[in-house]
Amino acid sequence: MKTILALLILFSAITLPALGELTVEDIEKIDAKIKASEARTKEHINTQIESVKENINTQIESVDKRLSLVTTLIVGLIALLVLAVSIPQILMALRSRRDESLEKQIENLTQEIETIKQQKIVQP
C-alpha cells in the first residue's frame, strides 16, 4: 500500500507540469529559437553552396586548361601533317621545273647540233 501511495504521488508530481499552459513569453522564446535555428541553417547552406561553387569553378578552369592544351596539340599535329604532305609536293614541283628547263636545253642543243650537221653537209 505504501508503494502504491508513493507511486501515485510520484506520478501526480510528474503530470502537474504537463498540465501547464504556454504563455506569450514562452511562445516568443520558442519563436526566437526557431528563427535563430533558421538563420544558422541558412548560413550553413549558403556556406556549403559557396564551397560547391568554388569547387565547380576550379574544376571548370582545370577542364578549360586541358581543352586548351588538347586544342594546341591538335593544331600542332595538323601542321605536321600539312608539312608532311606539302614538302614532297613542293620538291616534286621543283624537280619537274628543273626537268622542264633541262629538256628545253636538250632540245636547243639538239637543234643546234642538227643545224651544225646540216651546215657540214652543205659545206663539205
Side-chain angles (χ1 to χ4, degrees), residues 22-99:
L22 291 175
T23 63
V24 174
E25 294 170 353
D26 293 335
I27 293 174
E28 288 174 357
K29 286 179 184 178
I30 292 170
D31 189 39
K33 287 184 179 185
I34 289 173
K35 286 182 181 178
S37 175
E38 286 178 353
R40 285 192 310 268
T41 304
K42 285 181 183 179
E43 183 179 333
H44 179 70
I45 289 172
N46 288 337
T47 304
Q48 292 295 325
I49 288 173
E50 289 300 319
S51 173
V52 168
K53 282 183 183 178
E54 289 175 7
N55 191 10
I56 289 173
N57 286 339
T58 304
Q59 289 178 353
I60 288 173
E61 288 174 5
S62 174
V63 168
D64 187 39
K65 287 178 184 177
R66 283 189 238 150
L67 283 176
S68 177
L69 176 65
V70 168
T71 303
T72 304
L73 289 175
I74 288 173
V75 168
L77 288 174
I78 290 172
L80 283 175
L81 287 173
V82 167
L83 285 175
V85 171
S86 64
I87 288 176
Q89 294 292 329
I90 292 170
L91 291 175
M92 287 173 56
L94 290 175
R95 282 185 184 171
S96 69
R97 284 186 186 169
R98 190 180 71 196
D99 290 346

